[in-house]
Amino acid sequence: LQSANMAQSAASKLSQMGERTKQLGNVIQDPERQKRIILVIVCIALLLDNMLYMVIVPIIPDYLEDLQNGNFDLQIGVLFASKAILQLLVNPLSGTFIDRVGYDIPLFIGLNVMFLSTVIFAFAENYATLFLARSMQGLGSAFADTSGIALIADRYTEEAERSKALGIALAFISFGSLVAPPFGGVLYEFAGKPVPFVILACICLIDGILCLTVLKPFSNRERENMPVGTPIYKLMIDPYIAVVAGALIICNIPLAFLEPTIANWMEDTMHASQWEIGMTWFPAFFPHVLGVYLTVKLAAKYPHLQWFYGAIGMVFIGASSCTVPACKNFGQLMIPLCGICFGIAFVDTALLPTLGFLVDVRYVSVYGSVYAIADISYCVAYALGPVVAGQIVHDLGFVQLNLGMGLANVLYAPALLLLKNVTEMKPSFSERNMLLEDGPTGLYDTIKMEQREKKRKGLCTTIDENGIETFAQRSYSEEESSGGEYA
């Protein structure tokens, strides 16, 4: 009798666990909640990538001093640049791959590669292994970063909520970049080289498990019947996308070029201590977040002025960059560095949603390739920085470097006037046109055609609690006010 009671109790507990798992599954699959969970997954991936990118800044030069042979500065520059260079080379392929298979599988692949690269970093004991780990990070980033940003654009279709979601993602990118050097420096000093990388690897593993649980990348095959994305080379020659890509390159050059050069300049001109050099960029996180917040709020109220917010950001970056060499102490230096990050927040937050909108109205609403172009733009700046910046300082001087970067930003800002009328564009040869002209070619196309036909006839569909589709008459005014499916 006792064993029967125990068996009954165990069965009851298993049933309760099964019911809770089912409820959790229903919560996860709820579209609104899933959007938020996806945003969390992507933000963690972007945070990890940028922390891993910057965490080596205080660690590797000191660690490599014991291993160095040959040109030490060149070795450091190549190691730092290798991530961005490989990412730059892989992005055109990853963007096309994302357009073909969807966003979830590349995101999962990227997280796995990032996890492996972080583990290799933790236990690498020579330059070749460190170089391999750094290059692998670039490979993982080409998949994880691009698919993550594209996934946000795909799930957040309203312009206001898309700007807000991308703004949150940018805040995580900024936080990862700026908090990583002090995070890595403190742990390296007191706990040893492997510890910061092991912590990042554990977070990456958790994010990968979350991605596998929520997105189910290998069981969701609905992309087979969804529209084929526009080839990346066609997007690259689009004048509007080219202007945005150029702005993203120019605005990130000051940050990319100052990161490898400012430490030596601070030591030479203001005799900065190691803790000051380590904390150089951290205060700039707060104006970056402020810039993201202001741009999101302004874009929600005045969405037709996105180009203007980008132009203001570039002028801010230019003016701040020009004032860096005039600083005489650590406190003064914080002001232009905060100005640069504030301006970058304006440019990125205004122009990243604009890329998604351009694809919506001029091409097909598939975002892998267009955000691969954005990632390529960042990589151009960060690939050149560690290799070129030091040589420019050596040949021309630190003052001339900053004046050149500042002038480039101010002179490029008027080019964003080309984007002035973008918000007035209407969809041309887009998903809608393809379906209307060519007829349904798969399940996705057929469903879209049926939905459009019902809307045209004044019918709207609802799914009741029993899963039965019902139809209701829809007034003409309601149809007009909705703006249509693709408006």
Side-chain angles (χ1 to χ4, degrees), residues 372-413:
I373 292 171
D375 208 28
I376 288 168
S377 303
Y378 294 127
C379 290
V380 168
Y382 285 96
L384 290 174
V387 178
V388 176
Q391 194 63 42
I392 294 173
V393 171
H394 181 268
D395 295 342
L396 301 175
F398 188 78
V399 174
Q400 285 76 7
L401 172 69
N402 281 272
L403 290 176
M405 296 188 302
L407 192 62
N409 273 274
V410 173
L411 291 177
Y412 195 90

Side-chain angles (χ1 to χ4, degrees), residues 129 173 209 235 283 285 287-288 293 363 380 383 436:
T129 315
I173 290 173
I209 292 168
L235 298 177
F285 166 70
H288 187 278
Y293 177 79
Y363 302 99
V380 168
L436 286 174

Side-chain angles (χ1 to χ4, degrees), residues 2 6 20 40 94 142 174 189 233 254 292 367 371 428 438 482:
Q2 188 175 1
M6 286 175 65
R20 284 174 187 166
V40 169
S94 68
S174 169
E189 183 74 25
Y233 71 88
V292 169
Y367 305 98
Y371 284 111
S428 53
D438 299 338
S482 73

Side-chain angles (χ1 to χ4, degrees), residues 154-184:
D154 184 69
R155 296 302 173 98
Y156 290 85
T157 52
E158 299 271 336
E159 285 305 307
E161 67 171 7
R162 182 183 285 176
S163 291
K164 184 178 179 182
L166 288 172
I168 291 169
L170 287 169
F172 274 82
I173 290 173
S174 169
F175 183 72
S177 298
L178 301 175
V179 81
F183 166 83

Side-chain angles (χ1 to χ4, degrees), residues 265-313:
W265 177 79
M266 288 172 69
E267 284 182 343
D268 294 341
T269 58
M270 57 183 72
H271 308 289
S273 61
Q274 285 302 310
W275 78 265
E276 286 177 326
I277 292 171
M279 292 295 290
T280 301
W281 293 102
F282 183 69
F285 166 70
F286 301 101
H288 187 278
V289 172
L290 177 63
V292 169
Y293 177 79
L294 288 175
T295 312
V296 168
K297 290 294 181 185
L298 287 168
K301 199 167 185 181
Y302 308 105
H304 60 288
L305 293 176
Q306 295 274 46
W307 67 273
F308 182 68
Y309 309 142
I312 289 292

Side-chain angles (χ1 to χ4, degrees), residues 4 47 97 102 117 250 254 304 392:
L47 173 74
F97 179 71
S117 73
I250 300 293
H304 60 288
I392 294 173

Side-chain angles (χ1 to χ4, degrees), residues 270 323-338:
M270 57 183 72
T323 57
V324 167
C327 299
K328 302 298 182 188
N329 56 57
F330 181 74
Q332 290 177 4
L333 183 61
M334 291 302 98
I335 297 169
L337 295 185
C338 287

Side-chain angles (χ1 to χ4, degrees), residues 18-209:
E19 190 62 33
R20 284 174 187 166
T21 305
K22 188 177 177 183
Q23 288 173 356
L24 181 62
N26 291 336
V27 166
I28 289 174
Q29 295 308 316
D30 176 67
E32 282 304 313
R33 285 196 178 96
Q34 194 180 58
K35 273 164 60 172
R36 295 191 196 106
I37 296 170
I38 286 169
L39 182 60
V40 169
I41 292 169
V42 173
C43 286
I44 292 172
L46 295 171
L47 173 74
L48 282 166
D49 181 47
N50 286 274
M51 283 195 75
L52 188 55
Y53 179 74
M54 293 298 294
V55 77
I56 71 169
V57 170
I59 297 173
I60 296 303
D62 183 68
Y63 183 72
L64 278 181
E65 274 189 321
D66 300 327
L67 307 173
Q68 66 169 305
N69 50 20
N71 190 330
F72 181 62
D73 289 333
L74 180 64
Q75 283 185 321
I76 293 290
V78 170
L79 183 67
F80 274 60
S82 59
K83 185 256 187 189
I85 291 170
L86 193 71
Q87 195 171 342
L88 180 66
L89 295 173
V90 173
N91 258 314
L93 303 175
S94 68
T96 304
F97 179 71
I98 291 162
D99 284 349
R100 295 286 172 85
V101 304
Y103 310 109
D104 40 15
I105 292 175
L107 178 59
F108 186 68
I109 290 170
L111 285 169
N112 276 276
V113 176
M114 284 166 57
F115 171 76
L116 286 173
S117 73
T118 313
V119 171
I120 293 170
F121 256 123
F123 301 104
E125 294 184 351
N126 56 62
Y127 182 82
T129 315
L130 289 167
F131 183 83
L132 173 67
R134 185 69 166 174
S135 301
M136 280 183 66
Q137 191 206 347
L139 178 65
S141 300
F143 285 94
D145 291 8
T146 306
S147 59
I149 296 291
L151 183 59
I152 291 174
D154 184 69
R155 296 302 173 98
Y156 290 85
T157 52
E158 299 271 336
E159 285 305 307
E161 67 171 7
R162 182 183 285 176
S163 291
K164 184 178 179 182
L166 288 172
I168 291 169
L170 287 169
F172 274 82
I173 290 173
S174 169
F175 183 72
S177 298
L178 301 175
V179 81
F183 166 83
V186 169
L187 286 176
Y188 173 63
E189 183 74 25
F190 296 105
K193 180 179 81 76
V195 175
F197 297 108
V198 168
I199 291 171
L200 293 176
C202 290
I203 298 170
C204 192
L205 183 64
I206 293 167
D207 200 38
I209 292 168

